[in-house]
């Protein structure tokens, strides 16, 4: 399902396909971002299986020749699935990533070395009328993960962090029941970062503090609706408690058996 892109800030659009696996009770977003402006930016490139819809939506918002930057938040396939397509279609685009992400992708794609800019945690790059800062979110599933803060609009791209499964499409997470969001987002954070079980709770706050200090106007990530206003404060406060909770279990073989039974012909 490819709902219309959502305008989250001036010239900033969330591409927000929703996918629901067979038998799954909830759906997940596989979002990315298009930032127009004097030097347009594509932030993450979705999954290869969603290529046609993704390409159509992204390039309805920006001309391929105008794209100057493509930022990859980390090397997971739901973020890099159309990276080669973008580099092929957008000859003026520079890939913004970091050394280890390119290393980890090198077994799958040959990325043009002369079209890269390596921006590590805390570093920034200028894209014409705006400056972006790479800031690692507090939860992640790849060591290469870097979020992206747009200093001109206050939009923070959180990569996999602050995601939550949903029952259907909403524009803003505030439209969902708070209790449901609290439970689902913490479970998702735990799946994403099971190492939270062994981290020092006090030291972990430093990572949360860095994102809080950005005072983002909007938080958008790959796997949930946008967060604004009080929802941002609540998500940050919830994340602070992650080291205190036990790791959330994953669905196991009984769930797979259930799914297969549902799929079996009557
Ligand atoms: Fe990931
Ligand atoms: Fe992801």
């Amino acid at each position: 399902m490819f709902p219309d892109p959502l305008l989250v800030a001036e010239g900033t659009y969330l591409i927000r396909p929703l996918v629901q696996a067979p038998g799954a009770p909830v759906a997940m977003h596989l979002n990315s971002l298009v930032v127009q402006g004097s030097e347009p930016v594509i932030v993450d490139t979705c999954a290869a299986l969603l290529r046609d819809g993704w390409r159509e939506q992204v390039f309805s918002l920006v001309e391929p020749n105008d794209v100057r930057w493509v930022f990859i938040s980390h090397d997971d396939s739901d973020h890099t699935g159309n990276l080669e397509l973008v580099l092929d279609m957008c000859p003026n685009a520079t890939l913004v990533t970091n050394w280890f992400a390119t290393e980890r992708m090198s077994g799958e794609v040959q990325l043009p070395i002369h079209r890269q800019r390596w921006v590590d945690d805390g570093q920034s790059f200028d894209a014409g009328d705006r400056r972006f800062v790479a800031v690692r979110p507090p939860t992640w599933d790849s060591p290469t993960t870097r979020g992206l803060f747009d200093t001109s609009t206050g939009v923070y791209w959180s990569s996999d962090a602050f995601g939550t499964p949903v029952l259907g499409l909403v524009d803003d997470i505030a439209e969902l029941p708070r209790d449901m969001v609290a439970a689902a987002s913490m479970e998702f954070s735990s799946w994403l970062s099971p190492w939270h079980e062994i981290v020092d709770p006090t030291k972990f706050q430093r990572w949360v503090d860095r994102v809080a200090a950005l005072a983002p106007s909007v938080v958008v990530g790959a796997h949930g609706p946008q967060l604004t206003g009080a929802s941002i404060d609540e998500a940050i406060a919830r994340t602070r408690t992650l080291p205190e909770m036990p790791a959330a279990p994953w669905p196991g073989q009984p769930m797979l058996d259930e799914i297969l039974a549902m799929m079996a012909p009557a």
Side-chain angles (χ1 to χ4, degrees):
M1 170 186 179
F2 263 95
D4 287 341
L6 180 72
L7 182 69
V8 297
E10 191 184 348
T12 306
Y13 289 87
L14 186 66
I15 312 293
R16 47 179 180 159
L18 254 186
V19 295
Q20 193 155 5
V26 291
M28 281 302 293
H29 279 284
L30 287 174
N31 298 338
S32 46
L33 208 60
V34 171
V35 185
Q36 299 167 331
S38 65
E39 295 186 8
V41 188
I42 295 173
V43 180
D44 282 340
T45 66
C46 198
L49 283 176
L50 300 177
R51 178 162 297 160
D52 291 346
W54 186 83
R55 175 175 48 203
E56 192 178 309
Q57 288 199 335
V58 167
F59 295 114
S60 72
L61 293 166
V62 62
E63 286 298 318
N65 281 335
D66 292 341
V67 176
R68 291 290 306 278
W69 307 94
V70 52
F71 177 84
I72 292 295
S73 72
H74 64 300
D75 49 286
D76 281 349
S77 62
D78 55 328
H79 300 252
T80 63
N82 298 299
L83 175 56
E84 284 180 290
L85 172 93
V86 170
L87 290 172
D88 283 348
M89 285 184 67
C90 308
N92 301 312
T94 294
L95 167 62
V96 181
T97 180
N98 54 65
W99 162 77
F100 200 26
T102 63
E103 281 292 306
R104 287 163 59 97
M105 286 189 277
S106 63
E108 287 176 10
V109 294
Q110 205 154 34
L111 297 167
I113 190 86
H114 59 283
R115 292 179 65 188
Q116 295 183 34
R117 174 83 64 92
W118 290 352
V119 176
D120 208 349
D121 191 26
Q123 297 179 341
S124 62
F125 69 99
D126 290 322
D129 57 354
R130 62 193 69 210
R131 169 165 289 198
F132 289 94
V133 188
V135 179
R136 182 174 51 204
T139 53
W140 40 264
D141 61 4
S142 164
T144 67
T145 301
R146 307 289 181 257
L148 192 67
F149 182 64
D150 182 342
T151 59
S152 77
T153 58
V155 172
Y156 178 60
W157 175 255
S158 61
S159 186
D160 287 339
F162 307 117
T164 186
V166 290
L167 296 173
L169 179 70
V170 293
D171 287 347
D172 194 293
I173 205 159
E175 296 169 51
L176 298 173
R178 284 174 73 196
D179 287 355
M180 194 193 91
V181 169
S185 64
M186 288 301 274
E187 188 173 52
F188 179 76
S189 296
S190 180
W191 291 340
L192 182 78
S193 305
W195 44 258
H196 69 77
E197 266 196 320
I198 57 159
V199 301
D200 180 308
T202 307
K203 286 184 179 172
F204 181 70
Q205 304 309 318
R206 292 183 207 157
W207 285 4
V208 188
D209 288 342
R210 294 180 69 217
V211 171
L214 299 173
S217 59
V218 182
V219 172
V220 277
H223 304 302
Q226 71 166 351
L227 287 80
T228 54
S231 299
I232 297 175
D233 300 333
E234 286 170 16
I236 286 174
R238 272 196 306 270
T239 302
R240 292 188 184 283
T241 69
L242 194 60
E244 313 289 355
M245 79 176 241
W250 293 350
Q253 183 64 36
M255 171 65 87
L256 178 57
D257 290 341
E258 226 175 274
I259 293 168
L260 294 174
M262 278 170 50
M263 293 171 74

